[in-house]
Amino acid sequence: MSTTQSDRLRELLEPLVNAQELDLEEIELSRAGRRQVLRVIVDSDDGVELDTCAELSRTVSATLDETDVMGEGEYVLEVSSPGADRPLTEHRHYVRATGRLARLTLGDGGELVARILGVDDEGLDLEVPGVKGRKPTARRVAFDEIAKARVEIEFNRKDKKEEEA
């Protein structure tokens, strides 16, 4: 996708996404046969519900139909949330992952699986699970030490709504 088209799409879509109190995480444009596929990835601190994606999809579709930003060809529009395996790349991603287990690849090549307890401007406060019956330990990791990070999917984890009930 040309930078110009990407910039135009972001300029056009960001106000629509922000009006829904969402963050525009990513815009992907790819080919599927003769059609283009436009994926608009959105998120918020509280997650994104299916109804919100559907409503935003209708709004985005109507707006795109009024402009020439997608050109004359056919396209498919997909509006969705990032998914569980999205890399953590922005400060807000780490904040939203607070309380979750994350796999961090460190700049020195080491790897760490730990629960994110807190996030500030410099880095993360983590709880590293104990091994073989040992107690968990606290650890601090600065953002500049992290090469890659991703949330680990936990099948037996209670989510915030269950804990509040």
Side-chain angles (χ1 to χ4, degrees):
M1 175 166 68
S2 73
T3 303
T4 304
Q5 187 176 22
S6 174
D7 291 344
R8 287 180 64 203
L9 282 166
R10 183 164 288 280
E11 226 174 85
L12 183 67
L13 301 182
E14 200 145 34
L16 302 175
V17 171
N18 292 341
Q20 295 281 340
E21 297 182 3
L22 300 170
D23 295 317
L24 180 57
E25 293 291 343
E26 192 173 342
I27 296 173
E28 296 176 5
L29 191 58
S30 60
R31 279 248 172 256
R34 294 183 302 199
R35 293 185 177 139
Q36 292 187 68
V37 177
L38 174 61
R39 286 185 186 87
V40 179
I41 312 297
V42 296
D43 202 2
S44 80
D45 290 343
D46 300 320
V48 182
E49 294 186 3
L50 186 58
D51 290 344
T52 304
C53 282
E55 184 179 330
L56 182 59
S57 180
R58 288 188 290 275
T59 304
V60 167
S61 180
T63 302
L64 290 173
D65 289 347
E66 294 170 1
T67 69
D68 65 346
V69 72
M70 291 301 295
E72 295 296 318
E74 295 179 22
Y75 68 91
V76 174
L77 172 64
E78 295 177 9
V79 176
S80 68
S81 61
D85 63 343
R86 170 206 43 210
L88 304 175
T89 57
E90 302 283 334
H91 185 271
R92 68 177 178 264
H93 297 165
Y94 290 99
V95 171
R96 289 175 184 159
T98 300
R100 307 282 308 267
L101 201 60
R103 180 174 301 274
L104 309 174
T105 303
L106 304 176
D108 65 5
E111 193 168 82
L112 175 65
V113 176
R115 191 162 309 280
I116 300 173
L117 299 179
V119 181
D120 59 30
D121 291 340
E122 285 80 43
L124 309 173
D125 292 317
L126 304 171
E127 179 183 74
V128 181
V131 179
K132 296 184 181 178
R134 294 190 180 137
K135 290 185 177 181
T137 57
R139 179 158 177 194
R140 175 81 180 165
V141 175
F143 285 121
D144 62 3
E145 296 177 64
I146 302 170
K148 291 190 314 188
R150 182 176 303 277
V151 168
E152 284 285 289
I153 297 172
E154 297 177 84
F155 293 105
N156 60 354
R157 177 183 174 267
K158 288 184 181 180
D159 68 9
K160 290 178 190 172
K161 290 177 186 169
E162 287 180 34
E163 291 172 3
E164 291 171 0

